[in-house]
Every structure is written in C-alpha cells, then in structure tokens.
Amino acid sequence: MTETKVRTNVWRCANHLFNVDRLHPLVMGILNVTPDSFSDGGTHNGLEDAVAWAHRMRDEGAHIIDVGGESTRPGFDERGVSLEEERRRVLPVVERLVNEGFIVSVDTSKPEMMNDVASLGVHILNDIRGFEMPGAMEAAARTECGLVVMHRSMSTDYHDVVAEVEAYLQDRQRLLEDLGVSKDRICWDPGFGFGKTVEQNYMLLGATARFVASGQPYLMGLSRKSSIGVATGHTKPTDRVTGSVAGALIAVQEGAQVVRVHDCRETTDAIAVWRATEEACGRR
Ligand code: YH5
C-alpha cells in the first residue's frame, strides 16, 4: 500500500510562522520606497502613498510586503545608498506597516538597518547580497526574522550555473547555522537577473524543483525583469506583466513557496487557477 506523506514545511519569520504548503505559495508584493522607483514610474513615494500601495497589494492577495529603499536593479551603483538615506526612506514606512498588521519584509544589506527594522517588528530580512556585508550575518543571526538569502554574482562566467548557485546557497546556509540561525528561518533565492545571462536565468527557473528538493523554503523573484522582457520582446517593464505571471506560475508549479511580484492580483489569480486544477485532480 502506498501512503502519501504530506510534508508540512514551516518558515519561521519572527512572531509569524508560515505554513508553506505546495498549493498555497506566498505572494510577496514589492514596495519600492526609492525616489526613482523603476517599474512604476516613481509613484508611491511619500509615506501615505507607500502605505496605500501596501494596502492595495494586500487586498490583491499579497501575504508579505517587501519594502526596499535601495535601488537594486541589476547593475545599480555599487556604493548603494547611505545608511541615513536608507533609514529615512524605509523606517517610517516599516513602522506603519507593522502597526497596521502587515507581514513585512525589508530589502536591505546593511547590518544597522537589520537591527533597526527587527526592533520595529519586521518579520523578514531580504538581502540581495546574501548577508555578505561585514557584520550582516551576525546582525541577522541576532534577530528572530526569516532570512531570504539571495545569490548574486559579478560575472556570468559559470561552469554550471545551477550547481554553483546551489553550492553558494548551501554555503551561506551553513555559515548562518553556525551563528545559531535555525534552519527553518532560511529561505533560498537564486537571484534571477543578478549576474546571469538570459539563458542562465531561465536555466535557474527551470531548475526550481531541484532547489526546492533542498528542503528550504524557496523564493523566485523575476517580476518585470529584463529576461522577461527579452523572452516577450517587451522593453517597457509595465508591458512585462503577463510574461512575469507566466514565470511566477512556472516557479510555483515546480514547487517554489514564495514569489516576489509587482502584480499581486494577476499573480494571485493565476495561482488560483493552477490550485483549482491540482485540487480537482486530487493532487495534494
Ligand atoms: C529578487 O529576485 N530582486 S530588486 C529590474 C527590473 C525589474 C525588477 C525593470 N530584490 C530580487 O526587482 N530580492 C530585487 O527591470 C530582490 N529576490 C529577492 N529576494 C530587482 C527587481 C527588478 C530589477
């Protein structure tokens, strides 16, 4: 007799415990609080606009709001933004969102910011630099936050991009665990668009199931990125919504438990149709 084992994965994010099951992937809505917000024409700056945008994304199905105060498009200024500027942009928004009951993630690489936002009650630290800035791993380890560890590279010169990204994430995970971070806090992210060719990005997307097999929660962030533009032939990021939804759905079908997106309603609807199909066929 065959028994179907239902593996319930959890992702421990401070005072919030996500039950990450295959059929209910988490939608992480992107909230840029940079003056030059790239994919949305620089709207929703200002505290009230940012909070209103977060409400809209939650109404449209977002489970998590990811607040970013650094312009982190691939190829951005390596010096990034100053600590003072990042604090000024991010902290007021984060404080409001936490107080209004949102599950909040903060896109930052700076250990001081990690301390600050954890004190404000943020649930997730999302670092596109894989907690590589001096002191970042230690700062993250001192919190109880969920940690998104993303791979990023300066060159596209891989022998085997999937194997190398996987080895990197394993390595970062081991270092974090050595600092006392429990396994169930760590989410992996291959860093779609960060130091990969278009083909390498799609190789990573197609390898989602392999990464998911690591047992860690897995996040894919491809929303409106240039590789989506290349595949669809759309130069304008706002024309890349349908392509992005298709990409997110591929990730979800392959087992990704978190998708980071601009277009929450469209992504949520696509996931709902996929889930209805899975449930109708008795696939749990
Ligand atoms: C990610 O993949 N990406 S910021 C260029 C674009 C569109 C979007 C128009 N933070 C990720 O979203 N955090 C960013 O062209 C991230 N994973 C995680 N965890 C880049 C971005 C974007 C860049």
Side-chain angles (χ1 to χ4, degrees):
M1 199 172 96
T2 322
E3 239 182 80
T4 314
K5 184 145 187 264
V6 180
R7 188 178 62 167
T8 312
N9 243 339
V10 295
W11 186 21
R12 196 174 292 280
C13 301
N15 62 7
H16 193 89
L17 195 63
F18 282 112
N19 253 322
V20 284
D21 81 309
R22 192 178 79 81
L23 292 180
H24 295 89
L26 303 170
V27 173
M28 175 186 271
I30 301 170
L31 181 60
N32 290 309
V33 292
T34 56
D36 62 325
S37 293
F38 42 83
S39 286
D40 44 33
T43 52
H44 70 77
N45 293 310
L47 179 57
E48 295 309 322
D49 285 359
V51 173
W53 194 258
H55 275 277
R56 176 175 164 176
M57 290 197 289
R58 186 164 66 180
D59 292 346
E60 293 183 350
H63 303 92
I64 301 164
I65 304 297
D66 186 43
V67 184
E70 193 190 17
S71 185
T72 45
R73 85 188 92 196
F76 58 94
D77 186 339
E78 256 324 297
R79 289 162 303 179
V81 64
S82 74
L83 175 59
E84 291 63 38
E85 179 64 14
E86 201 176 335
R87 278 187 167 130
R88 208 174 52 72
R89 291 176 185 175
V90 171
L91 298 186
V93 178
V94 158
E95 186 169 26
R96 275 282 295 276
L97 296 184
V98 169
N99 290 339
E100 294 191 25
F102 286 87
I103 305 293
V104 182
S105 160
V106 176
D107 215 320
T108 191
S109 299
K110 295 185 179 68
E112 299 88 345
M113 283 291 297
M114 294 174 187
N115 283 325
D116 290 358
V117 300
S119 306
L120 290 175
V122 150
H123 305 82
I124 297 163
L125 302 174
N126 173 27
D127 188 359
I128 59 154
R129 295 181 182 79
F131 300 90
E132 287 195 39
M133 273 187 40
M137 279 207 301
E138 291 77 5
R142 280 191 298 269
T143 73
E144 296 288 329
C145 297
L147 306 178
V148 179
V149 182
M150 198 193 83
H151 174 274
R152 172 171 172 270
S153 162
M154 287 300 132
S155 95
T156 58
D157 185 16
Y158 304 93
H159 170 65
D160 178 342
V161 67
V162 173
E164 287 167 47
V165 170
E166 187 174 27
Y168 172 86
L169 294 170
Q170 289 282 11
D171 188 49
R172 301 310 289 168
Q173 158 126 357
R174 191 177 47 74
L175 292 170
L176 284 165
E177 285 184 34
D178 288 348
L179 289 172
V181 176
S182 65
K183 240 185 179 37
D184 57 5
R185 287 175 54 196
I186 302 170
C187 178
W188 286 13
D189 180 343
F192 189 98
F194 288 89
K196 289 101 182 171
T197 64
V198 173
E199 188 184 21
Q200 287 164 349
N201 284 323
Y202 286 105
M203 288 169 75
L204 289 167
L205 177 57
T208 298
R210 172 168 161 188
F211 285 100
V212 168
S214 72
Q216 292 307 122
Y218 194 66
L219 183 153
M220 182 59 83
L222 46 71
S223 187
R224 300 188 182 181
K225 285 181 180 175
S226 65
S227 289
I228 300 296
V230 170
T232 56
H234 295 307
T235 316
K236 271 174 55 196
T238 49
D239 289 336
R240 298 175 184 160
V241 177
T242 309
S244 300
V245 170
L249 200 61
I250 291 167
V252 162
Q253 284 186 295
E254 293 221 3
Q257 299 95 341
V258 194
V259 284
R260 180 181 178 277
V261 305
H262 296 87
D263 306 289
C264 297
R265 163 160 296 149
E266 292 83 350
T267 307
T268 299
D269 284 357
I271 291 169
V273 171
W274 166 76
R275 177 166 55 247
T277 310
E278 295 296 289
E279 286 175 347
C281 299
R283 292 194 281 262
R284 301 280 134 178

